[in-house]
């Protein structure tokens, strides 16, 4: 990467953040919450497909140069899921182009549509769908353009490898075919899509375009970015939230070898140096002399869940149907808890910023370059159009880690050294201690069986802090909170259903006549929290599916059959459950060997997206306090499958990540702060703990909408683990991570 080939000062200024400000002030409260959640502009035409609804102009997605070269744009970014390849496949399918023939640009505030945050498994559903229709409509225009030139009917023209081909084998490249036709037009509500049976690119396991650089040590991540004249910076964070900088020996550090400058602004402290090693040495010298006072006192992990149920909450019954619990029914009552969880990004967050004259360019692995630009502009007192954010992949992104904060660091420090690019890399302990954590959560469930062995009553309540504190204003950026004139975070808001935050997947998919589900949203909690893959679905599906197992036991019905019986009207849900059970060889839980346990879990992500069912076998070594996952059989229905290999990758990743969360991961903290500053103090799953065998079936649905899979397996896997552990150990775990709580 170089600064020259990344900066484009041209088009798309109309996509600037000014429209975002207007949307904040005019939208009703529910829409504001959605805006806050995804950072997207208002809907322009609800009849259009995917993100075309909010960005309907075709040239926002597809551009064709006079020489025939095709550029495809997306506001969604690559986070290591391989989705860049899948998006390219969608566009290339409709345009009949080889993947290598298009230039693909993603997450650039000058060049791409604003699709808000890349989050919530939305990319294929939103951006993939938009590209499917935009590229199909551009393909129609290409055929019409060529047909007019040849004086033939458009149906006599076909597209092949970047050329329009007509009767007699004559052809012209795309630039000639589109000449005189502008793509600066609103998309139509109806697209001439290719029949799915003719697809030759969609549905194929095309090799991922992002992998070669990663496996060859190439320039794959923002951490690899090096620009001419670049300086290196390190920041010094307080020892605990709320601590104030009482004093620091700045002069001594300024005299250190290689030091360029020291920046202090209120409680914000950083050093800039010519070489990275000199910056690190100066950072530790600053840390040693800095004196901090005060700071917040935290509750301990042993009391946090009682604390969460006592603090002020915003309560909402997100589902209420039927009547109350009737006396005499067989009843299950439980309370589940989860501790704070780290993102555990393998590479600490990094960003590069460059103030050139009056324009700030920031290379960032933020999951939302447009919302970040808005927040940075506010922090820097610049117009949004004067801030250019370019996405560059980060090493390990599973939600809001330190990416946005370090982008703010880089922008603040670049302002101090105009004309010189500044690279800021967080240290491991800074990433771990200051990232927004996945919230600790509590849920309670009361469920009862009727005399017919069907679920008669269900009451579920969940308590959780915010799962979405991504940049909405400058105050959401950690460095901006530490300045002499600090910015205040905008109020935390619950994310409405069907997305939900802590209440994501709190509504059971099963048929229940009498049900009440309450979300207790906690706007203020002791630790800073935000998004982690699957949000509240991890605990909620675990609690729901654990309860299903217990109810099945009360009914003396096999747990798989019990689920099927309560999903009679949902054939796609039934299909994945049957598929997973068949691949596993499910024959009931009574057949397991001593120390072994088998378990089942199911969920439809957000009750609107991909269906996933998982059956597993574990071995619980009680003496060593270890759980070994021996076998995982999963089935998933994610609609039309674009890249089968990529979909399996995501499901496997979700299964492994959820295994780690559910068995091991818990933030360590106490009254005087967070203690999980490295991998020794924050254990995660090692390679030796990865499930020995993972088998995944994809139930392809040609012609059906794309449904993302990156976050769909985490809940069902946690549930299957909890149920298998209960089977193996003879007791049900209610507090997670499972091994820490046992």
């Amino acid at each position: 990467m170089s600064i020259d080939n990344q900066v484009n000062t041209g088009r798309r200024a109309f996509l600037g953040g000014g429209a975002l400000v207007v949307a904040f002030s005019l939208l009703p409260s529910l829409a504001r919450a959605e805006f806050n959640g995804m950072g997207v502009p208002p809907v322009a035409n609800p009849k259009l497909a995917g993100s075309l609804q909010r960005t309907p102009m075709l040239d926002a997605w597809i551009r064709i140069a006079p020489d025939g070269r095709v550029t495809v744009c997306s506001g969604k970014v690559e986070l290591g899921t391989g989705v860049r390849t899948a998006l390219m496949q969608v566009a290339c399918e409709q345009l009949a182009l080889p993947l290598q023939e298009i230039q693909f640009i993603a997450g650039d505030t000058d060049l791409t549509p604003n699709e808000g945050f890349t989050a919530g498994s939305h990319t294929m559903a939103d951006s993939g769908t938009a590209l499917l229709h935009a590229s199909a409509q551009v393909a129609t225009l290409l055929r019409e353009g060529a047909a007019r030139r040849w004086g033939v009917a458009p149906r006599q023209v076909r597209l092949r490898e970047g050329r329009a081909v007509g009767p007699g084998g004559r052809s012209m490249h795309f630039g000639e075919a589109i000449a005189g036709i502008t793509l600066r037009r609103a998309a139509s509500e109806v697209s001439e899509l290719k029949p799915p049976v003719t697809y030759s690119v969609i549905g194929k396991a095309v090799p991922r375009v992002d992998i070669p650089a990663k496996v060859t040590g190439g320039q794959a991540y923002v951490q690899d970015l090096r620009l001419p004249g670049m300086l290196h910076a390190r920041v010094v964070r307080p020892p605990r939230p709320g601590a104030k900088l009482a004093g620091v020996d700045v002069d001594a550090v300024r005299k250190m070898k290689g030091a360029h400058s020291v920046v202090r602004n209120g409680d914000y402290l950083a050093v800039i140096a010519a070489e990275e090693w000199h910056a690190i040495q100066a950072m530790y010298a600053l840390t040693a002399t800095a004196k901090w006072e005060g700071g917040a006192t935290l509750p301990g992990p042993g009391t946090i869940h009682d604390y969460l149920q006592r603090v002020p909450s915003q309560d909402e019954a997100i589902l209420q149907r039927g009547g109350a619990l009737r006396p005499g029914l067989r009843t299950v009552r439980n309370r589940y808890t989860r501790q704070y969880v780290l993102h555990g990004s393998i590479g600490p967050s990094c960003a590069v910023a460059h103030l050139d004259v009056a324009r700030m360019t920031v290379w960032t692995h933020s999951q939302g370059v447009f919302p970040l630009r808005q927040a940075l502009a506010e922090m820097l007192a610049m117009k949004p159009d004067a801030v250019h954010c370019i996405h560059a992949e980060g090493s390990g992104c599973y939600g809001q880690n330190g990416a946005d904060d370090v982008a703010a660091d880089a922008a603040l420090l670049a302002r101090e050294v105009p004309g010189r690019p500044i690279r800021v890399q967080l240290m491991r302990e800074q990433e771990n201690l200051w990232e927004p954590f996945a919230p600790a959560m509590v849920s309670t469930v009361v469920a009862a069986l009727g005399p017919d062995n069907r679920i008669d009553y269900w009451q579920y309540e969940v308590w959780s802090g915010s799962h979405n504190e991504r940049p909405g204003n400058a105050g959401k950026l950690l460095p901006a909170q530490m300045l002499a004139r600090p910015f205040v975070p905008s109020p935390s808001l619950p994310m409405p259903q069907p997305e939900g935050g802590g209440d994501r997947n709190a509504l059971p998919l099963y048929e229940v006549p009498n049900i009440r589900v309450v979300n207790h949203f906690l706007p203020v909690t002791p630790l800073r929290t935000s998004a982690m893959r699957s949000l509240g679905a991890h605990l909620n599906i675990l609690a729901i599916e654990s309860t299903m197992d217990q109810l099945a036991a009360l009914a003396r019905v096999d747990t798989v059959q019990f689920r099927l019986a309560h999903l009679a009207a949902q054939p796609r849900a039934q299909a994945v459950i049957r598929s997973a059970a068949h691949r596993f060889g499910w024959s009931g839980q009574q057949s397991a060997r001593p120390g072994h346990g088998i378990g089942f879990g199911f969920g439809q992500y957000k009750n609107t997206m991909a269906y996933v069912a998982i059956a597993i076998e574990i071995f619980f070594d009680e003496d060593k306090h270890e759980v070994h996952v021996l076998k995982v059989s999963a089935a998933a229905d994610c609609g039309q499958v674009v890249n089968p290999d990529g979909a399996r990758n995501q499901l496997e990743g979700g299964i492994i990540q959820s295994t780690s969360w559910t068995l091991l991961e818990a933030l360590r903290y106490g009254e005087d702060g967070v203690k999980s500053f490295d991998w020794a103090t924050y254990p995660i799953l090692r390679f030796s703990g990865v499930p020995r065998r993972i088998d995944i079936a994809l139930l392809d649905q040609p012609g059906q909408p794309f449904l993302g899979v990156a976050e769909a397996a985490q809940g069902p896997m946690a549930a299957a683990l909890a149920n298998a552990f209960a089977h193996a150990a003879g007791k049900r775990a209610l507090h997670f991570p499972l091994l820490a709580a046992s």
Side-chain angles (χ1 to χ4, degrees), residues 317-363:
I318 55 176
L319 178 60
Q320 173 106 39
R321 183 176 64 228
L325 174 64
R326 293 181 289 145
L329 299 184
R330 293 162 289 174
T331 305
V332 172
R333 297 174 185 268
N334 278 316
R335 175 180 184 262
Y336 295 89
T337 67
R338 185 185 86 162
Q339 284 289 348
Y340 289 98
V341 178
L342 270 176
H343 290 81
S345 298
I346 299 301
S349 295
C350 178
V352 177
H354 182 210
L355 180 60
D356 185 12
V357 190
R359 187 167 170 81
M360 180 72 76
T361 302
V362 181
W363 290 262

Side-chain angles (χ1 to χ4, degrees), residues 270-344:
V271 61
I272 300 172
E275 302 292 337
E276 186 170 15
W277 176 238
H278 293 150
I280 293 172
Q281 289 178 306
M283 177 204 69
Y284 282 124
L286 269 180
T287 302
T289 66
K291 300 185 184 305
W292 301 88
E293 295 178 346
T297 300
L298 302 176
T303 60
I304 184 63
H305 299 104
D306 292 340
Y307 179 91
L308 294 177
Q309 288 187 281
R310 290 198 308 269
V311 298
S313 62
Q314 298 173 15
D315 304 334
E316 181 185 8
I318 55 176
L319 178 60
Q320 173 106 39
R321 183 176 64 228
L325 174 64
R326 293 181 289 145
L329 299 184
R330 293 162 289 174
T331 305
V332 172
R333 297 174 185 268
N334 278 316
R335 175 180 184 262
Y336 295 89
T337 67
R338 185 185 86 162
Q339 284 289 348
Y340 289 98
V341 178
L342 270 176
H343 290 81

